[in-house]
Short mmCIF file of all heavy atoms in Angstrom, two decimals:
data_model
loop_
_atom_site.label_atom_id
_atom_site.label_comp_id
_atom_site.label_asym_id
_atom_site.label_seq_id
_atom_site.Cartn_x
_atom_site.Cartn_y
_atom_site.Cartn_z
N MET A 21 -4.09 7.61 -13.32
CA MET A 21 -4.07 8.16 -11.98
C MET A 21 -2.61 8.30 -11.55
O MET A 21 -1.81 7.39 -11.73
CB MET A 21 -4.83 7.20 -11.04
CG MET A 21 -5.10 7.76 -9.67
SD MET A 21 -6.12 6.66 -8.66
CE MET A 21 -7.68 7.50 -8.76
N THR A 22 -2.29 9.42 -10.95
CA THR A 22 -0.92 9.66 -10.49
C THR A 22 -0.74 9.09 -9.09
O THR A 22 -1.71 8.78 -8.39
CB THR A 22 -0.60 11.17 -10.44
OG1 THR A 22 -1.40 11.77 -9.42
CG2 THR A 22 -0.85 11.84 -11.78
N VAL A 23 0.51 8.98 -8.68
CA VAL A 23 0.79 8.47 -7.34
C VAL A 23 0.20 9.39 -6.27
O VAL A 23 -0.30 8.92 -5.25
CB VAL A 23 2.31 8.27 -7.14
CG1 VAL A 23 2.62 7.85 -5.72
CG2 VAL A 23 2.85 7.24 -8.11
N THR A 24 0.23 10.68 -6.52
CA THR A 24 -0.37 11.63 -5.57
C THR A 24 -1.87 11.39 -5.44
O THR A 24 -2.41 11.38 -4.33
CB THR A 24 -0.11 13.08 -6.01
OG1 THR A 24 1.31 13.27 -6.13
CG2 THR A 24 -0.68 14.07 -5.02
N GLU A 25 -2.53 11.16 -6.56
CA GLU A 25 -3.97 10.87 -6.52
C GLU A 25 -4.24 9.55 -5.81
O GLU A 25 -5.20 9.43 -5.05
CB GLU A 25 -4.54 10.84 -7.94
CG GLU A 25 -4.55 12.18 -8.62
CD GLU A 25 -4.89 12.09 -10.10
OE1 GLU A 25 -4.55 11.07 -10.74
OE2 GLU A 25 -5.50 13.05 -10.60
N ILE A 26 -3.38 8.57 -6.08
CA ILE A 26 -3.52 7.28 -5.41
C ILE A 26 -3.35 7.45 -3.90
O ILE A 26 -4.11 6.90 -3.11
CB ILE A 26 -2.51 6.26 -5.98
CG1 ILE A 26 -2.84 5.96 -7.44
CG2 ILE A 26 -2.49 4.99 -5.15
CD1 ILE A 26 -1.78 5.18 -8.16
N TRP A 27 -2.33 8.22 -3.50
CA TRP A 27 -2.09 8.49 -2.08
C TRP A 27 -3.33 9.12 -1.44
O TRP A 27 -3.80 8.67 -0.40
CB TRP A 27 -0.88 9.40 -1.91
CG TRP A 27 -0.65 9.82 -0.49
CD1 TRP A 27 -1.16 10.92 0.13
CD2 TRP A 27 0.12 9.13 0.50
NE1 TRP A 27 -0.75 10.96 1.44
CE2 TRP A 27 0.04 9.88 1.70
CE3 TRP A 27 0.87 7.97 0.49
CZ2 TRP A 27 0.68 9.49 2.86
CZ3 TRP A 27 1.52 7.59 1.66
CH2 TRP A 27 1.42 8.34 2.82
N ASN A 28 -3.84 10.15 -2.08
CA ASN A 28 -5.00 10.87 -1.53
C ASN A 28 -6.23 9.97 -1.44
O ASN A 28 -7.04 10.11 -0.52
CB ASN A 28 -5.31 12.11 -2.36
CG ASN A 28 -4.25 13.17 -2.22
OD1 ASN A 28 -3.52 13.23 -1.22
ND2 ASN A 28 -4.12 14.00 -3.23
N THR A 29 -6.37 9.05 -2.38
CA THR A 29 -7.55 8.19 -2.42
C THR A 29 -7.46 7.01 -1.47
O THR A 29 -8.44 6.68 -0.79
CB THR A 29 -7.76 7.67 -3.86
OG1 THR A 29 -7.85 8.79 -4.75
CG2 THR A 29 -9.02 6.84 -3.96
N TYR A 30 -6.30 6.37 -1.39
CA TYR A 30 -6.20 5.09 -0.68
C TYR A 30 -5.38 5.12 0.61
O TYR A 30 -5.33 4.11 1.32
CB TYR A 30 -5.60 4.03 -1.63
CG TYR A 30 -6.47 3.80 -2.83
CD1 TYR A 30 -6.07 4.20 -4.09
CD2 TYR A 30 -7.71 3.17 -2.71
CE1 TYR A 30 -6.87 3.99 -5.20
CE2 TYR A 30 -8.51 2.97 -3.80
CZ TYR A 30 -8.09 3.37 -5.05
OH TYR A 30 -8.89 3.17 -6.14
N HIS A 31 -4.76 6.23 0.92
CA HIS A 31 -3.89 6.33 2.10
C HIS A 31 -4.58 5.85 3.37
O HIS A 31 -4.06 5.01 4.11
CB HIS A 31 -3.40 7.77 2.24
CG HIS A 31 -2.72 8.04 3.54
ND1 HIS A 31 -3.39 8.57 4.62
CD2 HIS A 31 -1.44 7.85 3.94
CE1 HIS A 31 -2.55 8.70 5.62
NE2 HIS A 31 -1.36 8.26 5.24
N ASP A 32 -5.76 6.37 3.65
CA ASP A 32 -6.45 6.05 4.90
C ASP A 32 -6.83 4.57 4.98
O ASP A 32 -6.65 3.93 6.03
CB ASP A 32 -7.70 6.91 5.08
CG ASP A 32 -7.36 8.37 5.32
OD1 ASP A 32 -6.25 8.66 5.80
OD2 ASP A 32 -8.21 9.23 5.01
N ASP A 33 -7.35 4.02 3.88
CA ASP A 33 -7.75 2.60 3.88
C ASP A 33 -6.55 1.69 4.09
O ASP A 33 -6.61 0.73 4.87
CB ASP A 33 -8.42 2.23 2.55
CG ASP A 33 -9.78 2.88 2.38
OD1 ASP A 33 -10.39 3.29 3.39
OD2 ASP A 33 -10.23 2.98 1.23
N LEU A 34 -5.45 1.99 3.41
CA LEU A 34 -4.25 1.17 3.55
C LEU A 34 -3.67 1.28 4.96
O LEU A 34 -3.25 0.29 5.54
CB LEU A 34 -3.21 1.56 2.50
CG LEU A 34 -3.58 1.23 1.06
CD1 LEU A 34 -2.59 1.86 0.10
CD2 LEU A 34 -3.67 -0.27 0.85
N LYS A 35 -3.67 2.48 5.50
CA LYS A 35 -3.13 2.69 6.86
C LYS A 35 -3.96 1.91 7.88
O LYS A 35 -3.41 1.26 8.77
CB LYS A 35 -3.13 4.19 7.18
CG LYS A 35 -2.62 4.53 8.57
CD LYS A 35 -1.12 4.39 8.66
CE LYS A 35 -0.58 4.68 10.03
NZ LYS A 35 -0.20 6.02 10.27
N ARG A 36 -5.27 1.94 7.76
CA ARG A 36 -6.13 1.18 8.68
C ARG A 36 -5.85 -0.32 8.56
O ARG A 36 -5.78 -1.02 9.57
CB ARG A 36 -7.61 1.45 8.40
CG ARG A 36 -8.18 2.60 9.18
CD ARG A 36 -9.69 2.66 9.08
NE ARG A 36 -10.17 2.86 7.72
CZ ARG A 36 -10.24 4.03 7.09
NH1 ARG A 36 -9.87 5.12 7.72
NH2 ARG A 36 -10.68 4.13 5.87
N PHE A 37 -5.70 -0.79 7.33
CA PHE A 37 -5.42 -2.20 7.11
C PHE A 37 -4.09 -2.60 7.76
O PHE A 37 -4.01 -3.61 8.46
CB PHE A 37 -5.40 -2.50 5.61
CG PHE A 37 -5.06 -3.92 5.27
CD1 PHE A 37 -5.93 -4.95 5.60
CD2 PHE A 37 -3.89 -4.23 4.61
CE1 PHE A 37 -5.62 -6.27 5.29
CE2 PHE A 37 -3.57 -5.53 4.29
CZ PHE A 37 -4.43 -6.56 4.63
N ILE A 38 -3.07 -1.80 7.54
CA ILE A 38 -1.76 -2.09 8.12
C ILE A 38 -1.83 -2.07 9.64
O ILE A 38 -1.32 -2.97 10.31
CB ILE A 38 -0.70 -1.10 7.60
CG1 ILE A 38 -0.50 -1.25 6.10
CG2 ILE A 38 0.62 -1.28 8.35
CD1 ILE A 38 0.27 -0.11 5.45
N CYS A 39 -2.47 -1.06 10.19
CA CYS A 39 -2.56 -0.93 11.66
C CYS A 39 -3.40 -2.03 12.29
O CYS A 39 -3.24 -2.33 13.47
CB CYS A 39 -3.10 0.45 12.03
SG CYS A 39 -1.91 1.77 11.75
N SER A 40 -4.27 -2.66 11.51
CA SER A 40 -5.03 -3.79 12.05
C SER A 40 -4.16 -5.02 12.23
O SER A 40 -4.51 -5.93 12.97
CB SER A 40 -6.22 -4.12 11.15
OG SER A 40 -5.80 -4.75 9.95
N LYS A 41 -3.02 -5.03 11.55
CA LYS A 41 -2.10 -6.17 11.63
C LYS A 41 -0.84 -5.86 12.43
O LYS A 41 -0.26 -6.75 13.03
CB LYS A 41 -1.66 -6.61 10.22
CG LYS A 41 -2.77 -6.76 9.22
CD LYS A 41 -3.60 -7.97 9.54
CE LYS A 41 -4.66 -8.14 8.45
NZ LYS A 41 -5.84 -8.82 8.92
N ILE A 42 -0.41 -4.61 12.42
CA ILE A 42 0.85 -4.20 13.05
C ILE A 42 0.57 -3.07 14.03
O ILE A 42 0.05 -2.03 13.63
CB ILE A 42 1.87 -3.76 11.99
CG1 ILE A 42 2.21 -4.94 11.09
CG2 ILE A 42 3.12 -3.20 12.65
CD1 ILE A 42 3.12 -4.63 9.95
N VAL A 43 0.92 -3.27 15.28
CA VAL A 43 0.62 -2.29 16.32
C VAL A 43 1.60 -1.12 16.33
O VAL A 43 1.22 0.01 16.59
CB VAL A 43 0.62 -2.97 17.71
CG1 VAL A 43 -0.03 -2.07 18.74
CG2 VAL A 43 -0.08 -4.30 17.68
N ASP A 44 2.84 -1.40 16.02
CA ASP A 44 3.90 -0.38 16.05
C ASP A 44 3.65 0.67 14.96
O ASP A 44 3.74 0.38 13.76
CB ASP A 44 5.26 -1.04 15.87
CG ASP A 44 6.43 -0.08 16.05
OD1 ASP A 44 6.28 1.11 15.73
OD2 ASP A 44 7.49 -0.55 16.51
N GLU A 45 3.35 1.88 15.38
CA GLU A 45 3.00 2.97 14.45
C GLU A 45 4.15 3.29 13.48
O GLU A 45 3.91 3.55 12.30
CB GLU A 45 2.64 4.22 15.26
CG GLU A 45 2.13 5.37 14.43
CD GLU A 45 0.68 5.22 14.02
OE1 GLU A 45 -0.05 4.42 14.62
OE2 GLU A 45 0.27 5.93 13.08
N ASP A 46 5.37 3.27 13.96
CA ASP A 46 6.51 3.56 13.09
C ASP A 46 6.66 2.51 12.00
O ASP A 46 6.91 2.83 10.84
CB ASP A 46 7.81 3.67 13.89
CG ASP A 46 7.85 4.90 14.77
OD1 ASP A 46 7.19 5.90 14.43
OD2 ASP A 46 8.54 4.86 15.81
N VAL A 47 6.51 1.26 12.37
CA VAL A 47 6.60 0.17 11.38
C VAL A 47 5.45 0.29 10.39
O VAL A 47 5.64 0.12 9.17
CB VAL A 47 6.59 -1.21 12.07
CG1 VAL A 47 6.50 -2.33 11.05
CG2 VAL A 47 7.83 -1.37 12.95
N ALA A 48 4.26 0.59 10.87
CA ALA A 48 3.10 0.75 10.00
C ALA A 48 3.34 1.86 8.98
O ALA A 48 3.05 1.71 7.79
CB ALA A 48 1.84 1.03 10.82
N ASN A 49 3.89 2.97 9.44
CA ASN A 49 4.18 4.08 8.53
C ASN A 49 5.26 3.71 7.52
O ASN A 49 5.18 4.10 6.35
CB ASN A 49 4.60 5.33 9.31
CG ASN A 49 3.43 5.98 9.99
OD1 ASN A 49 2.31 5.95 9.51
ND2 ASN A 49 3.67 6.56 11.15
N ASP A 50 6.25 2.95 7.96
CA ASP A 50 7.30 2.50 7.04
C ASP A 50 6.73 1.61 5.95
O ASP A 50 7.07 1.74 4.77
CB ASP A 50 8.40 1.75 7.79
CG ASP A 50 9.26 2.66 8.65
OD1 ASP A 50 9.21 3.91 8.48
OD2 ASP A 50 10.00 2.13 9.50
N ILE A 51 5.86 0.70 6.34
CA ILE A 51 5.24 -0.19 5.36
C ILE A 51 4.37 0.60 4.39
O ILE A 51 4.40 0.37 3.18
CB ILE A 51 4.44 -1.31 6.07
CG1 ILE A 51 5.42 -2.27 6.74
CG2 ILE A 51 3.54 -2.05 5.09
CD1 ILE A 51 4.78 -3.33 7.60
N LEU A 52 3.63 1.55 4.92
CA LEU A 52 2.78 2.38 4.06
C LEU A 52 3.62 3.13 3.02
O LEU A 52 3.28 3.18 1.84
CB LEU A 52 1.97 3.37 4.90
CG LEU A 52 0.99 4.25 4.15
CD1 LEU A 52 -0.07 3.41 3.45
CD2 LEU A 52 0.34 5.23 5.12
N GLN A 53 4.74 3.68 3.46
CA GLN A 53 5.63 4.37 2.53
C GLN A 53 6.17 3.41 1.48
O GLN A 53 6.25 3.75 0.29
CB GLN A 53 6.78 5.03 3.29
CG GLN A 53 6.37 6.20 4.14
CD GLN A 53 5.81 7.35 3.32
OE1 GLN A 53 6.30 7.65 2.25
NE2 GLN A 53 4.77 7.98 3.83
N GLU A 54 6.53 2.23 1.90
CA GLU A 54 7.08 1.26 0.95
C GLU A 54 6.03 0.83 -0.07
O GLU A 54 6.34 0.58 -1.23
CB GLU A 54 7.64 0.05 1.70
CG GLU A 54 8.47 -0.83 0.80
CD GLU A 54 9.30 -1.85 1.54
OE1 GLU A 54 9.48 -1.72 2.77
OE2 GLU A 54 9.78 -2.77 0.88
N VAL A 55 4.77 0.73 0.36
CA VAL A 55 3.69 0.41 -0.57
C VAL A 55 3.66 1.44 -1.70
O VAL A 55 3.59 1.10 -2.88
CB VAL A 55 2.31 0.38 0.15
CG1 VAL A 55 1.17 0.35 -0.86
CG2 VAL A 55 2.24 -0.79 1.10
N PHE A 56 3.76 2.71 -1.32
CA PHE A 56 3.66 3.75 -2.34
C PHE A 56 4.92 3.86 -3.19
O PHE A 56 4.85 4.24 -4.35
CB PHE A 56 3.25 5.08 -1.71
CG PHE A 56 1.77 5.09 -1.42
CD1 PHE A 56 1.30 4.77 -0.17
CD2 PHE A 56 0.86 5.38 -2.43
CE1 PHE A 56 -0.06 4.74 0.09
CE2 PHE A 56 -0.50 5.35 -2.18
CZ PHE A 56 -0.96 5.04 -0.92
N VAL A 57 6.06 3.50 -2.65
CA VAL A 57 7.28 3.44 -3.46
C VAL A 57 7.11 2.35 -4.51
O VAL A 57 7.37 2.56 -5.71
CB VAL A 57 8.53 3.19 -2.59
CG1 VAL A 57 9.72 2.82 -3.45
CG2 VAL A 57 8.83 4.41 -1.75
N LYS A 58 6.67 1.17 -4.08
CA LYS A 58 6.46 0.07 -5.02
C LYS A 58 5.38 0.42 -6.05
O LYS A 58 5.51 0.09 -7.23
CB LYS A 58 6.09 -1.21 -4.29
CG LYS A 58 7.26 -1.83 -3.56
CD LYS A 58 6.86 -3.15 -2.93
CE LYS A 58 8.03 -3.78 -2.23
NZ LYS A 58 8.96 -4.42 -3.13
N ALA A 59 4.35 1.10 -5.60
CA ALA A 59 3.29 1.51 -6.53
C ALA A 59 3.83 2.47 -7.58
O ALA A 59 3.52 2.33 -8.76
CB ALA A 59 2.14 2.16 -5.75
N GLN A 60 4.63 3.42 -7.15
CA GLN A 60 5.19 4.38 -8.10
C GLN A 60 6.09 3.69 -9.12
O GLN A 60 6.05 4.00 -10.30
CB GLN A 60 5.97 5.46 -7.37
CG GLN A 60 6.50 6.53 -8.29
CD GLN A 60 7.09 7.70 -7.51
OE1 GLN A 60 7.31 7.62 -6.32
NE2 GLN A 60 7.34 8.79 -8.21
N LEU A 61 6.88 2.73 -8.66
CA LEU A 61 7.81 2.04 -9.56
C LEU A 61 7.10 1.10 -10.54
O LEU A 61 7.61 0.84 -11.62
CB LEU A 61 8.83 1.24 -8.74
CG LEU A 61 9.79 2.07 -7.89
CD1 LEU A 61 10.64 1.16 -7.01
CD2 LEU A 61 10.67 2.95 -8.77
N ASN A 62 5.93 0.60 -10.15
CA ASN A 62 5.27 -0.43 -10.95
C ASN A 62 3.88 -0.04 -11.45
O ASN A 62 3.14 -0.90 -11.94
CB ASN A 62 5.16 -1.72 -10.14
CG ASN A 62 6.52 -2.24 -9.75
OD1 ASN A 62 7.32 -2.58 -10.61
ND2 ASN A 62 6.79 -2.29 -8.45
N LEU A 63 3.53 1.21 -11.34
CA LEU A 63 2.17 1.66 -11.70
C LEU A 63 1.82 1.34 -13.14
O LEU A 63 0.67 1.02 -13.46
CB LEU A 63 2.04 3.16 -11.45
CG LEU A 63 0.65 3.75 -11.56
CD1 LEU A 63 -0.32 3.03 -10.62
CD2 LEU A 63 0.68 5.23 -11.21
N LYS A 64 2.78 1.36 -14.03
CA LYS A 64 2.50 1.10 -15.45
C LYS A 64 2.11 -0.36 -15.70
O LYS A 64 1.55 -0.67 -16.74
CB LYS A 64 3.71 1.48 -16.29
CG LYS A 64 3.93 2.97 -16.30
CD LYS A 64 5.12 3.37 -17.12
CE LYS A 64 5.24 4.88 -17.02
NZ LYS A 64 6.45 5.40 -17.55
N SER A 65 2.39 -1.24 -14.75
CA SER A 65 2.04 -2.65 -14.92
C SER A 65 0.56 -2.91 -14.66
O SER A 65 0.06 -3.99 -14.98
CB SER A 65 2.90 -3.53 -14.02
OG SER A 65 2.54 -3.35 -12.66
N VAL A 66 -0.14 -1.93 -14.11
CA VAL A 66 -1.58 -2.09 -13.85
C VAL A 66 -2.32 -1.72 -15.13
O VAL A 66 -2.38 -0.56 -15.51
CB VAL A 66 -2.05 -1.18 -12.68
CG1 VAL A 66 -3.54 -1.34 -12.46
CG2 VAL A 66 -1.28 -1.50 -11.42
N GLU A 67 -2.85 -2.74 -15.79
CA GLU A 67 -3.54 -2.51 -17.05
C GLU A 67 -4.98 -2.09 -16.84
O GLU A 67 -5.52 -1.28 -17.59
CB GLU A 67 -3.48 -3.78 -17.90
CG GLU A 67 -2.06 -4.12 -18.31
CD GLU A 67 -1.97 -5.44 -19.05
OE1 GLU A 67 -3.03 -5.97 -19.46
OE2 GLU A 67 -0.84 -5.92 -19.21
N ASP A 68 -5.62 -2.62 -15.83
CA ASP A 68 -7.03 -2.33 -15.55
C ASP A 68 -7.11 -1.46 -14.30
O ASP A 68 -6.91 -1.94 -13.18
CB ASP A 68 -7.78 -3.64 -15.37
CG ASP A 68 -9.27 -3.46 -15.20
OD1 ASP A 68 -9.74 -2.31 -15.12
OD2 ASP A 68 -9.98 -4.48 -15.13
N GLN A 69 -7.38 -0.18 -14.48
CA GLN A 69 -7.44 0.76 -13.35
C GLN A 69 -8.51 0.39 -12.32
O GLN A 69 -8.41 0.79 -11.17
CB GLN A 69 -7.68 2.18 -13.86
CG GLN A 69 -6.49 2.76 -14.60
CD GLN A 69 -5.28 2.95 -13.70
OE1 GLN A 69 -5.40 3.47 -12.61
NE2 GLN A 69 -4.13 2.50 -14.16
N SER A 70 -9.51 -0.38 -12.73
CA SER A 70 -10.54 -0.78 -11.77
C SER A 70 -9.99 -1.77 -10.74
O SER A 70 -10.61 -2.00 -9.71
CB SER A 70 -11.75 -1.39 -12.49
OG SER A 70 -11.41 -2.63 -13.07
N LYS A 71 -8.82 -2.35 -11.02
CA LYS A 71 -8.20 -3.29 -10.10
C LYS A 71 -7.08 -2.66 -9.29
O LYS A 71 -6.35 -3.35 -8.58
CB LYS A 71 -7.66 -4.49 -10.88
CG LYS A 71 -8.78 -5.27 -11.55
CD LYS A 71 -8.26 -6.44 -12.31
CE LYS A 71 -9.43 -7.15 -12.97
NZ LYS A 71 -8.99 -8.28 -13.76
N LEU A 72 -6.96 -1.34 -9.35
CA LEU A 72 -5.88 -0.64 -8.67
C LEU A 72 -5.92 -0.84 -7.15
O LEU A 72 -4.90 -1.13 -6.53
CB LEU A 72 -5.92 0.86 -9.00
CG LEU A 72 -4.85 1.71 -8.35
CD1 LEU A 72 -3.47 1.31 -8.86
CD2 LEU A 72 -5.11 3.18 -8.66
N LYS A 73 -7.09 -0.73 -6.56
CA LYS A 73 -7.21 -0.87 -5.11
C LYS A 73 -6.79 -2.28 -4.68
O LYS A 73 -6.04 -2.44 -3.72
CB LYS A 73 -8.63 -0.57 -4.65
CG LYS A 73 -8.80 -0.58 -3.15
CD LYS A 73 -10.18 -0.14 -2.74
CE LYS A 73 -10.31 -0.09 -1.23
NZ LYS A 73 -11.63 0.38 -0.82
N ALA A 74 -7.25 -3.30 -5.38
CA ALA A 74 -6.88 -4.67 -5.05
C ALA A 74 -5.37 -4.86 -5.21
O ALA A 74 -4.74 -5.54 -4.39
CB ALA A 74 -7.64 -5.65 -5.94
N TRP A 75 -4.79 -4.27 -6.23
CA TRP A 75 -3.35 -4.35 -6.46
C TRP A 75 -2.58 -3.73 -5.29
O TRP A 75 -1.62 -4.30 -4.80
CB TRP A 75 -3.03 -3.67 -7.79
CG TRP A 75 -1.60 -3.64 -8.19
CD1 TRP A 75 -0.84 -4.70 -8.61
CD2 TRP A 75 -0.75 -2.49 -8.23
NE1 TRP A 75 0.42 -4.27 -8.92
CE2 TRP A 75 0.51 -2.93 -8.70
CE3 TRP A 75 -0.92 -1.15 -7.95
CZ2 TRP A 75 1.58 -2.05 -8.86
CZ3 TRP A 75 0.14 -0.29 -8.12
CH2 TRP A 75 1.38 -0.74 -8.56
N LEU A 76 -3.03 -2.57 -4.83
CA LEU A 76 -2.39 -1.90 -3.70
C LEU A 76 -2.49 -2.73 -2.43
O LEU A 76 -1.53 -2.84 -1.66
CB LEU A 76 -3.00 -0.52 -3.47
CG LEU A 76 -2.68 0.53 -4.51
CD1 LEU A 76 -3.57 1.76 -4.32
CD2 LEU A 76 -1.22 0.92 -4.46
N PHE A 77 -3.65 -3.34 -2.20
CA PHE A 77 -3.81 -4.16 -1.01
C PHE A 77 -2.98 -5.44 -1.09
O PHE A 77 -2.51 -5.93 -0.07
CB PHE A 77 -5.30 -4.47 -0.75
CG PHE A 77 -5.97 -3.40 0.06
CD1 PHE A 77 -6.55 -2.30 -0.55
CD2 PHE A 77 -6.01 -3.48 1.44
CE1 PHE A 77 -7.15 -1.31 0.19
CE2 PHE A 77 -6.61 -2.48 2.20
CZ PHE A 77 -7.18 -1.40 1.57
N THR A 78 -2.78 -5.95 -2.29
CA THR A 78 -1.90 -7.12 -2.46
C THR A 78 -0.47 -6.76 -2.11
O THR A 78 0.22 -7.51 -1.40
CB THR A 78 -1.99 -7.65 -3.91
OG1 THR A 78 -3.34 -8.06 -4.17
CG2 THR A 78 -1.04 -8.83 -4.12
N ILE A 79 -0.01 -5.62 -2.60
CA ILE A 79 1.33 -5.14 -2.25
C ILE A 79 1.44 -4.99 -0.74
O ILE A 79 2.41 -5.44 -0.12
CB ILE A 79 1.64 -3.79 -2.93
CG1 ILE A 79 1.75 -3.96 -4.44
CG2 ILE A 79 2.93 -3.18 -2.37
CD1 ILE A 79 1.82 -2.65 -5.20
N THR A 80 0.44 -4.39 -0.13
CA THR A 80 0.43 -4.15 1.31
C THR A 80 0.47 -5.46 2.09
O THR A 80 1.27 -5.62 3.02
CB THR A 80 -0.80 -3.32 1.71
OG1 THR A 80 -0.84 -2.13 0.93
CG2 THR A 80 -0.78 -2.98 3.18
N ARG A 81 -0.38 -6.39 1.70
CA ARG A 81 -0.42 -7.69 2.38
C ARG A 81 0.92 -8.40 2.27
O ARG A 81 1.42 -8.98 3.24
CB ARG A 81 -1.54 -8.55 1.80
CG ARG A 81 -1.75 -9.85 2.54
CD ARG A 81 -2.88 -10.70 1.97
NE ARG A 81 -2.58 -11.10 0.60
CZ ARG A 81 -3.24 -10.67 -0.49
NH1 ARG A 81 -4.25 -9.82 -0.37
NH2 ARG A 81 -2.91 -11.09 -1.69
N ASN A 82 1.54 -8.34 1.09
CA ASN A 82 2.84 -8.99 0.91
C ASN A 82 3.92 -8.34 1.77
O ASN A 82 4.78 -9.03 2.34
CB ASN A 82 3.25 -8.96 -0.56
CG ASN A 82 2.40 -9.87 -1.41
OD1 ASN A 82 1.76 -10.79 -0.91
ND2 ASN A 82 2.39 -9.63 -2.71
N LEU A 83 3.90 -7.03 1.91
CA LEU A 83 4.89 -6.34 2.74
C LEU A 83 4.68 -6.66 4.22
O LEU A 83 5.64 -6.81 4.97
CB LEU A 83 4.85 -4.83 2.50
CG LEU A 83 5.41 -4.37 1.15
CD1 LEU A 83 5.11 -2.90 0.91
CD2 LEU A 83 6.91 -4.63 1.10
N ILE A 84 3.44 -6.79 4.64
CA ILE A 84 3.15 -7.17 6.02
C ILE A 84 3.66 -8.59 6.27
O ILE A 84 4.28 -8.85 7.30
CB ILE A 84 1.64 -7.06 6.32
CG1 ILE A 84 1.21 -5.58 6.33
CG2 ILE A 84 1.29 -7.73 7.65
CD1 ILE A 84 -0.28 -5.36 6.35
N THR A 85 3.42 -9.47 5.33
CA THR A 85 3.90 -10.85 5.45
C THR A 85 5.43 -10.86 5.55
O THR A 85 6.00 -11.56 6.39
CB THR A 85 3.44 -11.70 4.25
OG1 THR A 85 2.02 -11.71 4.22
CG2 THR A 85 3.95 -13.13 4.35
N ASP A 86 6.09 -10.08 4.70
CA ASP A 86 7.55 -9.99 4.75
C ASP A 86 8.03 -9.48 6.10
O ASP A 86 9.05 -9.95 6.62
CB ASP A 86 8.08 -9.07 3.65
CG ASP A 86 7.93 -9.68 2.26
OD1 ASP A 86 7.67 -10.89 2.16
OD2 ASP A 86 8.09 -8.92 1.29
N TYR A 87 7.32 -8.53 6.67
CA TYR A 87 7.69 -7.98 7.98
C TYR A 87 7.69 -9.07 9.05
O TYR A 87 8.59 -9.12 9.89
CB TYR A 87 6.74 -6.84 8.36
CG TYR A 87 6.90 -6.42 9.79
CD1 TYR A 87 7.99 -5.67 10.20
CD2 TYR A 87 5.96 -6.79 10.75
CE1 TYR A 87 8.14 -5.30 11.53
CE2 TYR A 87 6.11 -6.42 12.08
CZ TYR A 87 7.20 -5.66 12.46
OH TYR A 87 7.36 -5.30 13.77
N PHE A 88 6.72 -9.95 9.02
CA PHE A 88 6.60 -10.98 10.05
C PHE A 88 7.52 -12.18 9.83
O PHE A 88 7.64 -13.02 10.70
CB PHE A 88 5.15 -11.46 10.18
CG PHE A 88 4.29 -10.48 10.92
CD1 PHE A 88 3.26 -9.82 10.29
CD2 PHE A 88 4.52 -10.21 12.25
CE1 PHE A 88 2.45 -8.91 10.97
CE2 PHE A 88 3.74 -9.30 12.96
CZ PHE A 88 2.70 -8.66 12.30
N ARG A 89 8.17 -12.25 8.68
CA ARG A 89 9.10 -13.37 8.42
C ARG A 89 10.35 -13.21 9.21
O ARG A 89 10.96 -12.40 9.56
CB ARG A 89 9.45 -13.44 6.95
CG ARG A 89 8.34 -14.08 6.19
CD ARG A 89 8.75 -14.36 4.77
NE ARG A 89 7.55 -14.76 4.07
CZ ARG A 89 7.39 -14.63 2.79
NH1 ARG A 89 8.33 -14.15 2.04
NH2 ARG A 89 6.29 -15.02 2.23
#
């Protein structure tokens, strides 16, 4: 799966998740972009494509945690 396909598939779910934790729309969009940058850089490390969504949400959760630190 390419990053574009990942974006098209998971963008809405990830955005909703981020917005449920962070009210500031600009910050939420920044985090969403960073998720996909990290995904693009590390996509080859995902061996099992069935775990891609969980992997993306883990990245997202970690970035949200970093934001609040």
Side-chain angles (χ1 to χ4, degrees):
M21 191 175 256
T22 67
V23 175
T24 303
E25 292 170 328
I26 294 169
W27 175 270
N28 291 336
T29 304
Y30 298 111
H31 169 265
D32 292 336
D33 291 340
L34 292 170
K35 179 74 182 268
R36 270 191 298 278
F37 177 67
I38 296 166
C39 287
S40 73
K41 312 289 184 207
I42 297 176
V43 194
D44 187 328
E45 186 78 18
D46 290 333
V47 173
N49 286 328
D50 289 346
I51 290 174
L52 183 61
Q53 290 297 321
E54 193 167 345
V55 168
F56 282 96
V57 167
K58 287 184 178 282
Q60 184 171 13
L61 294 174
N62 299 298
L63 189 56
K64 292 179 181 170
S65 70
V66 179
E67 295 175 13
D68 185 355
Q69 290 295 313
S70 68
K71 296 180 181 178
L72 180 64
K73 185 174 183 178
W75 180 72
L76 289 168
F77 273 88
T78 299
I79 293 170
T80 306
R81 186 179 63 248
N82 290 340
L83 288 170
I84 291 169
T85 300
D86 289 347
Y87 169 75
F88 283 114
R89 282 189 189 155

